[in-house]
Amino acid sequence: MKEFSDADREWQRLNTEALDHARDNDWGLYTNTQLDKADHLKREGLPKRELELLLSVLYIEANGPENRGGIDLELLREFPPFDPSMAAIPPALVARAVALFDGLGLTGEQAHAMFLDVATRHRNKLMPVSPAEAWTAITQTSGFRSLP
């Protein structure tokens, strides 16, 4: 039987943690765990997968993730897990994604298409901000610069 590496065990731990946060509607904590996963992929030398995770985090951040601690569905109607008025897209994460776009040789059009693809796959019915609206918000942060 194959023995798992420390990196494999860490990846499994992070996946379990992310699933727990998503189940409990703790979307702020979920994004933190996704960033830990992106850092893990960076250490593993997997820039495209790292970028995809960063793009999913940026999409979630554009929706204003909240931590709701597993409250019941009735309370979720009053206190939704996403509040766009509380959105704070971190410029440093945008700059990191742009650097990865550059490193992977992606044009602005390709970066846009990749973001829309990732955001569409990660969107859930609770997220009020569309992928296109999120892209517009991301491109307006101080961390964004135009790509060729």
Side-chain angles (χ1 to χ4, degrees):
M1 187 155 119
K2 178 185 172 194
E3 189 165 320
F4 292 105
S5 68
D6 289 342
D8 291 336
R9 283 190 289 279
E10 176 68 5
W11 187 253
Q12 181 181 17
R13 182 190 69 75
L14 291 169
N15 276 323
T16 300
E17 187 175 291
L19 288 171
D20 289 344
H21 293 318
R23 181 193 64 239
D24 291 339
N25 283 302
D26 286 334
W27 294 102
L29 295 172
Y30 177 86
T31 60
N32 292 344
T33 301
Q34 294 299 88
L35 288 173
D36 290 342
K37 289 170 68 175
D39 291 341
H40 177 91
L41 293 169
K42 182 178 182 175
R43 288 189 301 274
E44 294 290 313
L46 299 167
K48 185 174 182 201
R49 290 185 57 203
E50 174 192 358
L51 177 59
E52 288 174 345
L53 267 175
L54 289 176
L55 295 178
S56 72
V57 168
L58 287 169
Y59 178 60
I60 293 168
E61 291 292 352
N63 276 276
E66 300 286 342
N67 294 315
R68 295 299 182 219
I71 63 175
D72 67 32
L73 290 177
E74 197 60 39
L75 281 174
L76 277 180
R77 287 185 183 91
E78 189 174 345
F79 303 102
F82 295 97
D83 180 357
S85 71
M86 299 300 292
I89 301 168
L93 285 184
V94 174
R96 180 174 168 184
V98 169
L100 285 164
F101 286 141
D102 274 343
L104 293 168
L106 299 177
T107 65
E109 188 175 300
Q110 290 169 322
H112 182 209
M114 183 180 193
F115 175 81
L116 293 177
D117 176 61
V118 168
T120 299
R121 284 187 283 123
H122 287 87
R123 186 176 195 185
N124 70 44
K125 65 182 179 181
L126 302 172
M127 295 176 177
V129 177
S130 73
E133 292 167 324
W135 179 255
T136 298
I138 289 165
T139 61
Q140 294 173 354
T141 67
S142 61
F144 189 83
R145 63 178 169 67
S146 294
L147 297 162

